[in-house]
Amino acid sequence: MIPAPAFLANPERFMAFSRWAAPALGVIAVVLALVGLWLGWSAPPDYQQGETVRIMFIHVPAAIMAMFVYACLGVASFLALVYRHVLADCAAQSAAVLGTGFTGLALVTGSLWGRPMWGAWWVWDARLTSVLVLFLFYVAYLSLRASIDDETKGSRAAAILALVGLINLPIVHFSVYWWNSLHQGSSMFTPGALAPVYAWPLYVMLLAYLAGFGSLWLVRIRGEVWRRRAEAAALRAARG
Amino acid sequence: MSRLGALIRRETTLAWGRGGGPLVTVGFYAGVATLLPLAIGPERERLAAVATGAAWVALALASLLSLERLFERDYEDGALDLMTLSETPLELTSAVKCLGQWIATGAPLALAAPVAAIGLGASAALAPLIFACALLGGLAFAFVGGIGAALSLGARRGGLLTAVIVLPLFTPPVIFGGGALDAMASGLPWQAAFALLAAYTAAAVALGPLAMAAACRNALS
């Protein structure tokens, strides 16, 4: 197994680790977000986009997280499916909810940015469409999970779907690109493409999003573990 | 081999016979194709612009219809349990099921698709390509749809759930098929899009059964 999940695979160790890691990451996320927002706010308005360029600091990290969280969901689902590990299943479930949130945020902020820039709330361009399909993947995952009563079966079925989606997403991405492209290409990691005055707040915000996701993910996994423990305790009590 | 032959015969007969089979699917397809001009308006130019695309989307929707019964029926009456116990691997059984589905609904739809597209105003010269795309795309729709059908076994509101799972997975074949038809309609080379559609279909036929078998085993465990 990958070393980090192997270390955290022990539930006791995980609970002890996440007990302080979750709040610590949360504090880091808040500090980084404050710094990033301050940097973003004090950056000069873009010569072409004006003040709306600041939407980028919210939108771009959200879009990156949308994909990153799906990768986390895929890895967690794989571990849950192959090793039948309960914690990995909790992690997959928690990642899906958060990923839906990030994808929704990316879509909404993108739409708000598109209105002043392109003159339309929505255009059927490649990137927008592939993020929309990603959102539908998340929705499908959550609805499959929600509609199977047997929790073990539901989680395994959802894990299979997550892996099918993991194979499919690059194909969807590629096919949608082949179909059309209007959205500008990614310039975030191309040296010189983005002025430092915009690049720095963007990087700080990305780190803030990552830390925030880490914190919320741990909190949600902890909550899920407690819920399952409570359920098991209730079953034991009912049996007498 | 004879076991496989019997399986193919069984699946095709079931898909063809029970629950209307091709009649229901083609009827649905004709219904959607009829509602479309009523919503868009009867002007010839306007309809002709969307004819192939509309026919193609309606095809994707129509192939969702009978998916619910693909595994559900055998799951409920216990036949799926027996299939798991048989010597034929479940992967192969799933593939045969999808093949039966394709013969019973995909092939009749492929015959209906050019009629619908020409009725909506597409050029008659497109008919062979529409037929080929529908035949090939139908195979992809059946195998990808089978994944959704197997995953939603034992779920509440299985049919609706299957559609929610499968529709995002239909994105690439819809793009490639629509792209090939659109390219030919505007006089551009369509071979690239058609080859991509064929590649997607091949991948779905090769990998889909693995996911279906895993999902069936999970539902039966």
Side-chain angles (χ1 to χ4, degrees), chain A residues 145-235:
Chain A
R145 234 191 142 105
S147 31
I148 297 183
D149 287 330
D150 184 327
E151 202 174 320
T152 328
K153 280 187 191 178
S155 65
R156 288 179 65 78
I160 297 171
L161 179 62
L163 291 180
V164 169
L166 203 60
I167 298 175
N168 249 280
L169 271 178
I171 305 176
V172 168
H173 191 74
F174 151 77
S175 67
V176 166
Y177 263 85
W178 181 84
W179 174 61
N180 181 14
S181 195
L182 171 75
H183 194 295
Q184 67 163 0
S186 163
S187 50
M188 192 166 166
F189 299 104
T190 319
L194 198 61
V197 71
Y198 296 122
W200 276 110
L202 192 53
Y203 294 148
V204 173
M205 282 306 280
L206 180 60
L207 288 178
Y209 269 73
L210 272 172
F213 165 66
S215 170
L216 290 175
W217 200 18
L218 289 177
V219 168
R220 289 198 67 97
I221 299 175
R222 283 177 68 82
E224 188 59 28
V225 170
W226 284 119
R227 188 186 66 76
R228 292 188 188 196
R229 282 189 185 170
E231 225 161 58
L235 276 178

Side-chain angles (χ1 to χ4, degrees), chain A residues 116-168:
Chain A
M117 285 304 102
W118 298 332
W121 293 110
W122 183 265
V123 288
W124 288 99
D125 131 83
R127 275 207 192 189
L128 278 76
T129 314
S130 74
V131 171
L132 184 61
V133 176
L134 178 64
F135 187 72
L136 295 179
F137 269 100
Y138 277 122
V139 170
Y141 178 90
L142 289 176
S143 23
L144 177 59
R145 234 191 142 105
S147 31
I148 297 183
D149 287 330
D150 184 327
E151 202 174 320
T152 328
K153 280 187 191 178
S155 65
R156 288 179 65 78
I160 297 171
L161 179 62
L163 291 180
V164 169
L166 203 60
I167 298 175
N168 249 280

